[in-house]
Amino acid sequence: MKIGFIGAGKASISLSIYFKERGLEITGVYNRTIEKAKQLSNKLGCVFFETEESLVQNTDVIIFAIS
């Protein structure tokens, strides 16, 4: 199962690290602020997506962690 995150704040950071440590595949991250998406994707070793559409096309499950 490939998991993608929309949002790169505290909730996304915590959940994505939790999932990754348990062996789940994190496909990537999308955030309106590309720098935040890049920072989280670097930490996770995954890609950042510049559009929501590209994230949707490459994931099985999307977690919205936005405020």
Side-chain angles (χ1 to χ4, degrees), residues 5 7-8 13 16 20 26-31 34-49:
F5 282 86
I13 293 168
S16 60
K20 185 169 177 76
I26 307 299
T27 306
V29 179
Y30 167 79
N31 194 68
I34 292 178
E35 270 310 305
K36 285 188 174 187
K38 285 180 182 180
Q39 290 172 354
L40 181 53
S41 65
N42 287 336
K43 183 179 279 193
L44 297 170
C46 64
V47 299
F48 71 93
F49 292 97

